[in-house]
Amino acid sequence: MTIHPISVLWKNNTDKHYSLKIIDISLRGCAQVMFQNNPITGLLFFIAIFIAAYNNNNPLAAWGCIVGTVLASITGAIAHDVKSWRDGLYSYNGCLVGIAIPVFITATPIMWLCLVVGSVVSVIATVCIADILKTWKVAALTAPFVLTTWVILLASYAFHNIYGSGLPAPELSQHYIAASQNHYSISFFIDGTLHGVSQVFLFPGILASLFFIAGLAVESVVCACYAIIGSFIATLLACYLGANPHEIEAGLYAFSAVLTSVALGTVFNHPGWQVFIYTVSGIIFTVFIQAAMNVLLMPFGLPTLTMPFVISSWLFLVPNKELMPEHRH
Amino acid sequence: MTIHPISVLWKNNTDKHYSLKIIDISLRGCAQVMFQNNPITGLLFFIAIFIAAYNNNNPLAAWGCIVGTVLASITGAIAHDVKSWRDGLYSYNGCLVGIAIPVFITATPIMWLCLVVGSVVSVIATVCIADILKTWKVAALTAPFVLTTWVILLASYAFHNIYGSGLPAPELSQHYIAASQNHYSISFFIDGTLHGVSQVFLFPGILASLFFIAGLAVESVVCACYAIIGSFIATLLACYLGANPHEIEAGLYAFSAVLTSVALGTVFNHPGWQVFIYTVSGIIFTVFIQAAMNVLLMPFGLPTLTMPFVISSWLFLVPNKELMPEHRH
Amino acid sequence: MTIHPISVLWKNNTDKHYSLKIIDISLRGCAQVMFQNNPITGLLFFIAIFIAAYNNNNPLAAWGCIVGTVLASITGAIAHDVKSWRDGLYSYNGCLVGIAIPVFITATPIMWLCLVVGSVVSVIATVCIADILKTWKVAALTAPFVLTTWVILLASYAFHNIYGSGLPAPELSQHYIAASQNHYSISFFIDGTLHGVSQVFLFPGILASLFFIAGLAVESVVCACYAIIGSFIATLLACYLGANPHEIEAGLYAFSAVLTSVALGTVFNHPGWQVFIYTVSGIIFTVFIQAAMNVLLMPFGLPTLTMPFVISSWLFLVPNKELMPEHRH
């Protein structure tokens, strides 16, 4: 890759000015949700998040995302690992916490307190989990985001002043019976696949999805392809197994598979045929884990967030960790 | 142990022919469910499984067991650990997955897809969990089987085309009240003890149980005794504590204890008086863990499978791992 | 610290006489629940436990505490780590098991069997968990007590002869709605704070709390202050977030924070301003974890015990484990 003069200029300025440095880290942090270390990718992702949040009538989620990412970027300095900090590896969990809290919790001043607490704790959780997992040379992925957010969402049930208006009602699981035989159209699969990409950031949306894919393609076209392939295979499989078609169309069976696909196919393994087959296996099992966790969390009224991706990726990464590129050790 | 000429002949042929090698690994894999590395034991176990499955009107479970074991034996070659692969250590989880899926899921073509996915993933899970646990020098035991199967069983609730007809209905736990004071006969204890042995492979059955015990005795009479002792103590304790007598008689409080008893008493420790007392402590606590997990999984409509044995054995093995025979490191 | 002649006399006698040694270890074990290695602290704690148990009409909990602590102290000798054994580090979990079983289980001979099994297994669990956690240089804390007790309490639902009369009924969680706007008085905060300290040992109580604080102050006044500060901040935050006022007043939102505060502020870190801020962050997130676990355990009819403290402390200790004083490695 040739280094553009503008990229050198940017680097020099971010080294000198603290506020520019935090902006750079925040952009990279946003991009790291999908494993990219590139501020342009991050910028495109932020645009996509704003489009998705405004289209879904929840603008606070976009602003919360900025607050969460910036706070995590500032807090990340405590981690004593300057390289990871500068690469945004302490920021991406705060980015997702910043979206998730306004999505699931009613907007009040205490919601913002939860968002601040969640973003800061997500950094401590990242350091903690990364330290535990380095024994087996796997990354923390989005586990810090999921665990921190689950704690706050569960706590919302116990606190009068935090209301989880976006949470499903706790109930015992029952076998899902389809209302009628479904005839899936081509547009159904396109919708499910694209929504799957944008659901990584907790919103459905076609236009947002195209921005996310563009952001990936800026850094790596292969990566963008793996995201689409992962989403498409997951959508197809969920239809074949007979999942709820509304959930499939909203991308809720595909978003974890998008991340698994990118992680297994391009980030932690060297691309190739064997890796492609291994990645497809990972995508298939991610759909089962997604369904299993939907059911498992039903009695608690909790969303799975990206935990199915995390579990599936750990499962498939630990056995072949010797393939992992150096920079992710 | 003297080496029979027939055993040498078998070894030479399994080295030369791939299909014989897979048969040998599959037989050893079946035997490894109870920690034995012996194809004769495996053969007796397979006979027992067929008897039990046909007697319980679920012949598919026996055929599924063969499919699962063979698939796991083939997949195990990816693990780059030829010794463990040849010893069947990547096959025993697939063997149990192959029984469990037909036991809990209604027979459809998608059930067979689940069985194939489960068997293959059980190998990846074995490599993953074994790698994680080698930090503390304990074995994966049947955790890969349990976790893989749980994912598929939970997912069955979310998918219209997978029906978990053998699963208990999800419900909130209530304190168990015995209908009347029970008077346990001697035949009750004999039934509970023998069913406990065969329930390791998910079916009750007296004749099957005798074949399982014979299979153990072929390799080690001490091992067979520990299996019976474990089952008997667990049956006795469950009666004393007042568990559901139908479940005790079906061996459902004893099967985890059978495995704990064999694991702690003969496989991972050198036999002796201290080890005997330690093993009895392990058996006693396994009964508590079995009851606790029955209750814990009630709201999810899930069976415990052999997880109580896994947890109990990890709990009792980590503290004295320096006693573990070399071959299990 | 100067060494009193009486302390030398005590040391010499405990070295010589087995029964005195067990008494010394039991006293230190009781003190280790709050991280103190001091028999005088343990004596004051035992007095506090007797006051609290008798005032709450459950004298068996005090006697159970003695039985549990002594049994764990005797069993601890199997651990081959004489220093930790003599310091009471294998006894404090048995101390808490000995209180918890009579608090939650109806008094019958089988209750005492559970207490004996729980105390002995708590030692094995301590060795197991400490061995697992030494990979990351963190302590087992009270995890062995919590996990062992959870197993027995869950099992009580399945056994006719063990009745968990002190357990909450299993139910699905609902968002807590306060009956009316609360006006908290100063005495409310004082009660909540003091009850929070004594709830570490599972009972509310003002007088008992003063004895616990005195016990801490005997060894370290800073430690006693951190206990009170942790309890006060947690009480305040729980009010602000709108928790159930009866539970706040009973100290149920503060007891985990008391332990987190002492652990992060004085035991595992060198005191100072940075550590103080870090500890306050830990206290704040402990309140969220406490609420989250209350909700998470509702469908199982289980109390959280001190698990919120354990999780919060692991989360905040792993990232800065290099600060840990040597003796706790």
Side-chain angles (χ1 to χ4, degrees):
Chain A
M1 183 174 138
T2 59
I3 295 165
H4 288 269
I6 203 167
S7 142
V8 173
L9 187 70
W10 177 249
K11 170 119 191 38
N12 287 343
N13 275 293
T14 57
D15 282 349
K16 266 182 268 171
H17 304 287
Y18 179 74
S19 57
L20 276 184
K21 191 188 282 183
I22 292 298
I23 289 172
D24 183 55
I25 292 172
S26 298
L27 289 172
R28 288 173 195 274
C30 187
Q32 286 285 6
V33 171
M34 287 205 186
F35 312 104
Q36 309 308 315
N37 183 8
N38 184 330
I40 313 288
T41 304
L43 189 61
L44 287 163
F45 280 13
F46 269 122
I47 293 169
I49 291 164
F50 267 81
I51 293 170
Y54 275 83
N55 278 349
N56 285 278
N57 293 316
N58 198 339
L60 277 189
W63 297 104
C65 177
I66 288 187
V67 172
T69 314
V70 171
L71 265 178
S73 299
I74 293 168
T75 313
I78 65 166
H80 299 304
D81 178 348
V82 174
K83 166 122 187 54
S84 298
W85 176 50
R86 292 296 299 263
D87 288 352
L89 290 174
Y90 296 117
S91 307
Y92 65 94
N93 285 290
C95 172
L96 289 169
V97 169
I99 303 175
I101 297 296
V103 163
F104 295 109
I105 304 281
T106 303
T108 62
I110 290 186
M111 182 276 274
W112 287 101
L113 172 75
C114 292
L115 197 153
V116 169
V117 168
S119 307
V120 172
V121 171
S122 81
V123 177
I124 294 167
T126 304
V127 181
C128 175
I129 295 172
D131 187 79
I132 290 171
L133 293 175
K134 78 169 180 229
T135 313
W136 304 286
K137 296 188 179 170
V138 286
L141 305 175
T142 52
F145 150 62
V146 175
L147 297 175
T148 307
T149 307
W150 275 353
V151 166
I152 294 170
L153 296 183
L154 276 171
S156 79
Y157 287 99
F159 292 134
H160 180 73
N161 298 333
I162 311 180
Y163 192 64
S165 48
L167 293 173
E171 56 179 339
L172 290 174
S173 54
Q174 284 188 299
H175 186 246
Y176 168 68
I177 311 277
S180 62
Q181 191 55 39
N182 282 288
H183 299 284
Y184 303 108
S185 62
I186 289 177
S187 77
F188 178 91
F189 287 110
I190 294 174
D191 279 8
T193 302
L194 289 178
H195 287 322
V197 175
S198 69
Q199 279 285 7
V200 170
F201 292 83
L202 291 105
F203 285 115
I206 302 293
L207 181 61
S209 182
L210 297 177
F211 269 89
F212 284 124
I213 292 167
L216 285 176
V218 162
E219 176 71 18
S220 153
V221 175
V222 175
C223 214
C225 291
Y226 263 99
I228 296 168
I229 290 167
S231 198
F232 181 69
I233 294 175
T235 303
L236 221 60
L237 181 60
C239 289
Y240 178 65
L241 297 174
N244 184 324
H246 301 295
E247 295 179 6
I248 300 175
E249 193 167 16
L252 294 172
Y253 276 96
F255 69 96
S256 290
V258 168
L259 291 169
T260 303
S261 182
V262 173
L264 294 185
T266 70
V267 182
F268 298 111
N269 293 312
H270 301 295
W273 266 107
Q274 278 193 312
V275 162
F276 180 74
I277 293 166
Y278 198 67
T279 303
V280 171
S281 315
I283 293 166
I284 291 170
F285 204 62
T286 302
V287 175
F288 280 92
I289 297 181
Q290 178 69 58
M293 290 201 70
N294 287 348
V295 173
L296 190 71
L297 296 180
M298 231 177 246
F300 308 108
L302 268 191
T304 66
L305 304 174
T306 49
M307 207 59 176
F309 143 67
V310 173
I311 291 171
S312 183
S313 295
W314 284 344
L315 173 61
F316 280 77
L317 286 174
V318 169
N320 72 343
K321 60 185 185 303
E322 56 281 352
L323 286 177
M324 271 174 77
E326 282 301 316
H327 73 278
R328 274 288 184 160
H329 274 195
Chain B
M1 183 175 141
T2 59
I3 296 164
H4 287 271
I6 203 167
S7 143
V8 174
L9 187 70
W10 177 249
K11 173 123 189 33
N12 287 343
N13 275 292
T14 59
D15 282 348
K16 265 182 269 170
H17 305 288
Y18 179 74
S19 57
L20 276 184
K21 192 189 280 183
I22 292 298
I23 290 171
D24 182 55
I25 292 172
S26 298
L27 290 171
R28 289 174 195 274
C30 187
Q32 286 285 6
V33 171
M34 287 204 185
F35 313 103
Q36 308 308 315
N37 182 9
N38 185 329
I40 313 288
T41 304
L43 189 63
L44 287 164
F45 281 12
F46 271 122
I47 293 169
I49 292 164
F50 268 81
I51 293 170
Y54 275 83
N55 278 349
N56 286 277
N57 294 317
N58 198 337
L60 278 188
W63 296 103
C65 176
I66 287 186
V67 172
T69 313
V70 170
L71 266 177
S73 299
I74 293 167
T75 313
I78 65 167
H80 299 304
D81 179 348
V82 175
K83 166 122 188 55
S84 298
W85 176 51
R86 291 297 298 265
D87 288 352
L89 291 174
Y90 297 117
S91 307
Y92 65 94
N93 285 291
C95 173
L96 290 168
V97 170
I99 303 174
I101 297 296
V103 163
F104 296 109
I105 305 281
T106 302
T108 63
I110 290 187
M111 182 276 273
W112 286 101
L113 173 75
C114 293
L115 197 153
V116 170
V117 168
S119 307
V120 172
V121 170
S122 80
V123 177
I124 294 167
T126 303
V127 181
C128 175
I129 295 173
D131 187 80
I132 291 171
L133 293 175
K134 79 170 180 229
T135 313
W136 305 286
K137 297 188 179 170
V138 285
L141 305 175
T142 53
F145 149 62
V146 176
L147 297 174
T148 308
T149 307
W150 275 352
V151 166
I152 294 171
L153 297 183
L154 277 172
S156 78
Y157 286 99
F159 293 134
H160 181 73
N161 298 333
I162 311 178
Y163 193 65
S165 50
L167 294 173
E171 56 179 339
L172 291 173
S173 54
Q174 286 189 296
H175 186 245
Y176 169 68
I177 311 277
S180 62
Q181 191 54 42
N182 282 289
H183 300 284
Y184 303 108
S185 61
I186 289 176
S187 78
F188 178 92
F189 288 111
I190 294 173
D191 279 7
T193 303
L194 289 178
H195 287 320
V197 175
S198 70
Q199 279 284 8
V200 169
F201 292 83
L202 290 106
F203 285 115
I206 301 294
L207 182 60
S209 183
L210 297 176
F211 269 88
F212 286 123
I213 292 166
L216 285 175
V218 162
E219 176 71 20
S220 154
V221 176
V222 175
C223 215
C225 291
Y226 263 99
I228 297 169
I229 290 168
S231 197
F232 181 68
I233 293 176
T235 304
L236 221 60
L237 181 60
C239 290
Y240 177 64
L241 297 174
N244 184 323
H246 301 294
E247 295 180 4
I248 299 175
E249 193 167 17
L252 294 172
Y253 277 95
F255 69 97
S256 290
V258 168
L259 290 169
T260 303
S261 181
V262 173
L264 294 185
T266 71
V267 182
F268 298 109
N269 293 310
H270 301 294
W273 265 105
Q274 277 192 312
V275 163
F276 180 75
I277 293 165
Y278 198 67
T279 303
V280 171
S281 314
I283 293 166
I284 291 170
F285 204 60
T286 301
V287 175
F288 279 92
I289 296 181
Q290 178 69 58
M293 290 202 69
N294 287 349
V295 173
L296 190 72
L297 296 180
M298 231 179 247
F300 308 107
L302 270 191
T304 66
L305 304 174
T306 49
M307 206 59 177
F309 143 66
V310 173
I311 291 171
S312 184
S313 294
W314 283 343
L315 172 61
F316 280 76
L317 285 174
V318 170
N320 72 342
K321 60 185 185 302
E322 55 281 351
L323 284 178
M324 272 174 76
E326 280 301 316
H327 73 279
R328 273 286 183 160
H329 273 196
Chain C
M1 184 174 139
T2 57
I3 295 165
H4 287 270
I6 204 168
S7 143
V8 174
L9 187 70
W10 178 249
K11 171 118 191 39
N12 287 342
N13 274 293
T14 59
D15 283 348
K16 265 182 270 171
H17 304 289
Y18 179 74
S19 57
L20 275 184
K21 192 189 282 184
I22 293 298
I23 290 172
D24 182 55
I25 292 172
S26 297
L27 289 172
R28 289 174 194 273
C30 187
Q32 287 285 6
V33 172
M34 288 205 184
F35 312 103
Q36 309 308 316
N37 183 8
N38 184 329
I40 312 288
T41 304
L43 189 62
L44 287 163
F45 281 13
F46 270 122
I47 293 170
I49 291 163
F50 267 81
I51 293 169
Y54 275 83
N55 279 350
N56 286 278
N57 294 316
N58 198 337
L60 277 189
W63 296 104
C65 177
I66 288 186
V67 172
T69 313
V70 170
L71 266 177
S73 299
I74 292 167
T75 312
I78 65 166
H80 299 304
D81 179 349
V82 175
K83 166 120 187 55
S84 298
W85 176 50
R86 291 297 298 264
D87 288 353
L89 290 174
Y90 297 117
S91 308
Y92 66 94
N93 285 290
C95 172
L96 289 168
V97 170
I99 303 175
I101 297 297
V103 163
F104 295 109
I105 305 281
T106 302
T108 63
I110 290 187
M111 181 277 273
W112 285 101
L113 172 74
C114 293
L115 197 153
V116 169
V117 168
S119 307
V120 172
V121 171
S122 80
V123 176
I124 294 166
T126 303
V127 181
C128 176
I129 295 173
D131 187 78
I132 290 171
L133 293 175
K134 79 169 178 228
T135 312
W136 304 286
K137 296 188 179 170
V138 285
L141 305 175
T142 52
F145 148 62
V146 175
L147 297 175
T148 307
T149 307
W150 275 353
V151 166
I152 294 170
L153 297 184
L154 276 172
S156 78
Y157 286 99
F159 293 134
H160 180 74
N161 298 333
I162 311 179
Y163 193 63
S165 50
L167 294 173
E171 56 179 338
L172 291 173
S173 53
Q174 285 188 298
H175 186 245
Y176 169 67
I177 312 278
S180 62
Q181 192 53 41
N182 283 288
H183 299 283
Y184 303 108
S185 61
I186 290 178
S187 77
F188 178 91
F189 287 110
I190 294 174
D191 279 8
T193 303
L194 289 177
H195 286 321
V197 175
S198 70
Q199 279 285 8
V200 169
F201 292 82
L202 290 105
F203 285 115
I206 302 293
L207 182 60
S209 182
L210 297 176
F211 268 90
F212 285 124
I213 292 167
L216 286 175
V218 163
E219 177 70 18
S220 153
V221 175
V222 175
C223 215
C225 291
Y226 263 99
I228 296 168
I229 290 167
S231 197
F232 181 69
I233 293 176
T235 303
L236 220 61
L237 181 61
C239 289
Y240 177 65
L241 297 174
N244 184 323
H246 301 295
E247 295 180 4
I248 300 175
E249 192 166 17
L252 294 172
Y253 277 95
F255 69 97
S256 289
V258 167
L259 290 169
T260 303
S261 180
V262 173
L264 295 185
T266 70
V267 182
F268 297 111
N269 293 311
H270 301 295
W273 265 106
Q274 278 193 312
V275 163
F276 180 75
I277 293 166
Y278 198 67
T279 302
V280 171
S281 314
I283 293 166
I284 290 170
F285 204 62
T286 302
V287 174
F288 280 92
I289 296 181
Q290 178 69 58
M293 291 202 70
N294 287 349
V295 172
L296 189 72
L297 296 180
M298 231 178 247
F300 308 107
L302 269 191
T304 67
L305 303 175
T306 50
M307 207 58 177
F309 143 68
V310 172
I311 292 171
S312 184
S313 294
W314 283 344
L315 173 61
F316 280 76
L317 284 175
V318 170
N320 72 343
K321 60 187 184 303
E322 55 282 351
L323 285 177
M324 271 174 76
E326 282 301 316
H327 73 278
R328 273 285 182 161
H329 273 195

